[in-house]
Amino acid sequence: MIAQSIGSIIKSFVDGVVVLNDTLHILWYDLHPVFELDLIEGQHILDHIPLKREKLIENEKFTLTLNQKKLTIEVKKFSSESDYIILCIEDITNLIENQKARLYCLEKIMDSLGEGVMMSDHEGRIVLYNHAQEKLEGLESQEIIGKHLWSAYNYNPQYSEHKHTFNTGKPIFSRYRAHSTVNGVPRYVNYSTFPIQRDGDTIAVFSVSTNESQLKDRLHQAIEQKRQTIQSSESGSQHFNNGTSFTFENIKGKSFTLKNLILEAQNIAIHNTDVLIVGETGTGKELFAQSIHNHSPRAENPFVAVNCAAIPETLLESTLFGTVKGAFTGAANQIGLFEYAKNGTLFLDEINSMPLTLQSKLMRVLQERLVRRVGSNDVSPVECTVISASNEDPIKLIEEKKMRLDLFYRIAHTSLFIPPLRERTEDIIFFINYFIEKHQKKFNKTVPGLSKTLQSALLQYPWPGNTRELEHLIENIIIQTSESESEINIDHLPAYLRNKLVSKSSSKNRKQKEMTNNPFKSIFSNSQEHYIQRVLDQNDWNISKSAKMLGITRQSLQYHIKKHELKKAGTKKDS
């Protein structure tokens, strides 16, 4: 009875089981008919299976061929009132019924795929991470498997796409984003995420990432040829037939940050995916949006822009979605901007100003890729790509209930963060000289250079209006300055700025205030790395809390983490 109970339990894990006593006589067995073994209880096992006796004495696992079938036999020992030897038999050639063997084969197939595959369980722990995914992200499976996604990739679990898909049961298609970095360089992948459901319940979530390096190389070549053609034929301002005026050639600056940002934007342009651009007022969000459109496969199609903050909510809905006659008083048959953009790009500027009620309707349009005119029951497919822009941190907006989290998932298939001008000192110097030259030509006027005192003051100014404010300032200075003067000094500044920079003492007081309110601004570049690392460690690498302490945005902190290749204590830097 004991032998039968032991065998029945083990049988659920293997194809067949044979229980022997210490003299190797058969006490009980349960075998699949495919084995074609006529065993008899009480007989010696060696009368039926050609085994070496010593292999049955020790705990071993071995293979043998019997009746033209390849079997694995694992020997186990069990002691109770008597000693038992248990033979666990598997037919490793029967892939239809042997789930263990079939699973082994499927795992081998998974590792041979060219596409990256990653799967997480109900707790968000990574349980599958194949070789292709390792190559795409530059990570190793043994360091990833078993960790929560947000721990492996260092982000807030609230924004986990796998967690969102698990909870909603809805897939997320065609994202282009970097979750990992190698030597400070983000590793972008194009991926989609799907739920795995059984009996109506989601049991796991997996993502499939594609390796598009060859396609990207070919498209980069095409982009470069196009850039060279535009550059060689450029004369004055550019105007294209698609509703744009700018390409990446118009994005000026010398800083390492800006050059990396342009490369990142060009990578995004290659993929026909929705993107969210985040940056303060005057950083050039529409400039980047138009450049992305003009260097993408949809460049020949319309670029349609709308400022969500400039249009009342009632009009914004009909502007985006269109109307039918009679929908409301004065309504006429009119297509919305989603339809007007066709196969091009719809640019939603200042989307952070969109009311929550309209955000819900926009989210549904982006999710279903179908638009319904106001007052109509008919739907039309959304064929355009959507580029959104926000002048506020979307994470902060979500926390303050000003932006829906599900809308964020829809508009931010990938994100582009434009750092403010005050964090790019090299670009401040560049733009001062660039705008002076530009507006001297515009006004046909030659002006003297800037005094050292003024240059120092302009470098210390926080530039809340960023590049736009700096250009307006330089234009104003050139208008106000006489060609006979020896140099441009603080007296030539507009009153609003001159009052802030009127003396060294006021500048010093402002700097001390900045050091108190924003300690990050008081650090020189050679000590930034150590200070940021210390703040992150102090807050246990809570990005939001650390960014608040440093006085910068989450995206800016993420940039500095990548720039300095910072790692949480106990982890190794990528080599």
Side-chain angles (χ1 to χ4, degrees):
M1 191 58 137
I2 295 178
Q4 183 176 353
S5 299
I6 298 169
S8 297
I9 294 172
I10 298 177
K11 178 63 172 64
S12 61
F13 299 98
V14 294
D15 296 323
V17 61
V18 180
V19 181
L20 311 174
N21 60 18
D22 56 356
T23 61
L24 306 184
H25 286 82
I26 301 171
L27 298 178
W28 181 88
Y29 66 91
D30 186 357
L31 297 176
H32 195 285
V34 73
F35 289 141
E36 299 178 0
L37 287 174
D38 296 324
L39 300 184
I40 301 175
E41 293 183 5
Q43 289 190 343
H44 202 284
I45 187 64
L46 299 185
D47 294 337
H48 299 274
I49 302 178
L51 300 173
K52 292 183 179 180
R53 186 181 182 88
E54 57 270 19
K55 287 191 175 183
L56 298 179
I57 302 303
E58 301 175 5
N59 291 341
E60 287 195 17
K61 186 174 182 178
F62 52 90
T63 61
L64 60 82
T65 301
L66 187 65
N67 297 333
Q68 298 182 339
K69 297 185 180 301
K70 194 166 186 178
L71 309 179
T72 63
I73 299 179
E74 185 172 1
V75 182
K76 296 180 178 294
K77 299 286 184 66
F78 179 79
S79 295
S80 180
E81 296 177 357
S82 302
D83 293 331
Y84 300 94
I85 298 174
I86 305 164
L87 305 184
C88 303
I89 306 175
E90 286 187 77
D91 180 5
I92 60 176
T93 61
N94 183 13
L95 298 181
I96 295 178
E97 297 186 25
N98 189 332
Q99 295 183 5
K100 187 176 179 181
R102 186 165 70 251
L103 177 61
Y104 176 83
C105 293
L106 291 175
E107 289 180 343
K108 288 298 181 182
I109 292 172
M110 195 70 65
D111 274 338
S112 67
L113 293 176
E115 289 75 24
V117 180
M118 177 179 64
M119 183 171 70
S120 65
D121 63 12
H122 68 288
E123 293 183 343
R125 294 184 186 275
I126 299 172
V127 297
L128 176 65
Y129 194 86
N130 73 347
H131 290 332
Q133 192 76 19
E134 288 182 318
K135 293 179 181 178
L136 287 171
E137 295 193 313
L139 303 174
E140 295 183 3
S141 59
Q142 62 262 32
E143 297 181 0
I144 292 294
I145 290 178
K147 289 185 177 180
H148 287 102
L149 286 155
W150 40 90
S151 297
Y153 293 113
N154 191 26
Y155 64 82
N156 191 325
Q158 181 182 0
Y159 308 110
S160 169
E161 293 173 339
H162 272 227
K163 190 175 181 180
H164 180 76
T165 298
F166 190 94
N167 292 334
T168 63
K170 296 179 180 179
I172 298 175
F173 296 102
S174 189
R175 291 290 173 93
Y176 182 66
R177 185 172 295 172
H179 292 94
S180 66
T181 60
V182 178
N183 295 327
V185 178
R187 301 292 289 266
Y188 281 86
V189 295
N190 196 338
Y191 63 95
S192 295
T193 301
F194 306 91
I196 299 176
Q197 296 182 324
R198 183 175 183 178
D199 299 328
D201 294 324
T202 302
I203 61 173
V205 175
F206 73 98
S207 294
V208 178
S209 305
T210 55
N211 188 344
E212 300 178 337
S213 57
Q214 293 182 348
L215 173 62
K216 286 171 61 178
D217 290 342
R218 291 195 296 268
L219 288 174
H220 271 307
Q221 292 175 5
I223 288 172
E224 187 60 31
Q225 290 175 357
K226 184 174 182 179
R227 291 177 64 186
Q228 293 174 0
T229 301
I230 292 174
Q231 188 175 15
S232 62
S233 60
E234 187 180 41
S235 57
S237 61
Q238 300 172 159
H239 295 283
F240 304 104
N241 294 327
N242 60 3
T244 66
S245 302
F246 304 109
T247 71
F248 285 115
E249 289 296 328
N250 300 106
I251 300 178
K252 307 298 182 181
K254 292 292 185 181
S255 68
F256 175 79
T257 303
L258 186 66
K259 291 178 180 178
N260 273 350
L261 193 64
I262 291 174
L263 290 176
E264 186 176 344
Q266 289 177 338
N267 280 330
I268 292 173
I270 293 173
H271 299 82
N272 191 24
T273 183
D274 296 344
V275 57
L276 173 65
I277 302 176
V278 181
E280 295 179 3
T281 299
T283 50
K285 295 184 290 295
E286 184 165 359
L287 184 62
F288 270 91
Q290 290 192 20
S291 299
I292 289 172
H293 174 81
N294 282 325
H295 288 80
S296 71
R298 53 190 176 272
E300 303 301 322
N301 297 300
F303 178 89
V304 181
V306 58
N307 190 316
C308 299
I311 303 176
E313 178 181 356
T314 53
L315 291 180
L316 183 58
E317 181 178 1
S318 59
T319 300
L320 292 175
F321 307 142
T323 58
V324 295
K325 188 174 182 179
F328 51 85
T329 303
N333 291 325
Q334 181 177 345
I335 67 172
L337 296 184
F338 272 99
E339 293 181 78
Y340 184 76
K342 299 179 181 178
N343 292 315
T345 297
L346 177 60
F347 177 53
L348 302 177
D349 196 9
E350 295 194 47
I351 195 170
N352 51 296
S353 300
M354 182 178 289
L356 287 174
T357 53
L358 191 53
Q359 287 184 27
S360 178
K361 297 176 182 179
L362 175 62
M363 180 212 54
R364 182 170 294 277
V365 170
L366 296 177
Q367 177 178 325
E368 299 176 354
R369 307 307 287 188
L370 294 172
V371 63
R372 179 184 289 106
R373 297 185 189 181
V374 177
S376 174
N377 292 324
D378 298 327
V379 295
S380 302
V382 172
E383 300 172 341
C384 63
T385 293
V386 178
I387 299 180
S388 307
S390 172
N391 55 21
E392 297 182 75
D393 185 345
I395 305 302
K396 182 180 179 182
L397 291 170
I398 293 169
E399 293 173 348
E400 295 177 350
K401 308 298 183 183
K402 295 180 180 179
M403 177 179 284
R404 292 175 60 104
L405 178 61
D406 42 10
L407 176 64
F408 174 76
Y409 282 123
R410 300 303 169 192
I411 63 176
H413 285 195
T414 187
S415 302
L416 191 69
F417 171 66
I418 307 177
L421 187 61
R422 59 182 171 273
E423 295 182 14
R424 297 180 280 131
T425 305
E426 190 177 355
D427 283 338
I428 296 177
I429 299 171
F430 169 83
F431 278 121
I432 289 173
N433 297 323
Y434 176 79
F435 290 139
I436 287 176
E437 182 179 354
K438 175 182 176 180
H439 290 291
Q440 281 187 141
K441 291 180 180 179
K442 176 181 177 180
F443 298 114
N444 192 25
K445 183 178 182 180
T446 302
V447 297
L450 273 63
S451 68
K452 292 183 178 180
T453 302
L454 178 57
Q455 288 185 36
S456 176
L458 294 180
L459 289 175
Q460 295 176 18
Y461 182 62
W463 297 109
N466 292 286
T467 309
R468 185 184 295 126
E469 181 184 7
L470 178 55
E471 180 172 12
H472 289 170
L473 173 67
I474 297 300
E475 183 178 13
N476 186 281
I477 287 176
I478 291 178
I479 291 174
Q480 299 295 332
T481 303
S482 169
E483 295 185 69
S484 61
E485 297 185 66
S486 59
E487 65 178 8
I488 301 173
N489 54 48
I490 291 181
D491 292 336
H492 292 92
L493 295 176
Y496 82 93
L497 191 57
R498 184 171 61 249
N499 292 337
K500 295 181 181 181
L501 306 175
V502 67
S503 66
K504 290 184 179 180
S505 60
S506 63
S507 176
K508 182 178 180 180
N509 290 336
R510 187 186 67 257
K511 186 174 181 181
Q512 290 176 343
K513 185 178 179 180
E514 287 180 358
M515 289 174 65
T516 302
N517 297 333
N518 193 346
F520 184 73
K521 298 295 185 295
S522 68
I523 312 162
F524 295 102
S525 59
N526 62 347
S527 61
Q528 277 186 5
E529 177 179 353
H530 303 291
Y531 184 78
I532 298 172
Q533 180 77 57
R534 182 156 53 88
V535 172
L536 287 166
D537 291 341
Q538 180 181 340
N539 293 302
D540 195 27
W541 274 73
N542 183 308
I543 300 299
S544 297
K545 189 174 180 181
S546 299
K548 185 176 181 180
M549 181 176 290
L550 290 167
I552 59 179
T553 63
R554 282 175 52 91
Q555 290 95 332
S556 181
L557 177 55
Q558 293 282 12
Y559 162 74
H560 286 288
I561 290 173
K562 294 176 183 177
K563 176 182 177 182
H564 297 299
E565 300 180 35
L566 302 181
K567 294 291 181 180
K568 191 174 183 179
T571 61
K572 296 181 180 179
K573 288 190 176 183
D574 297 317
S575 56

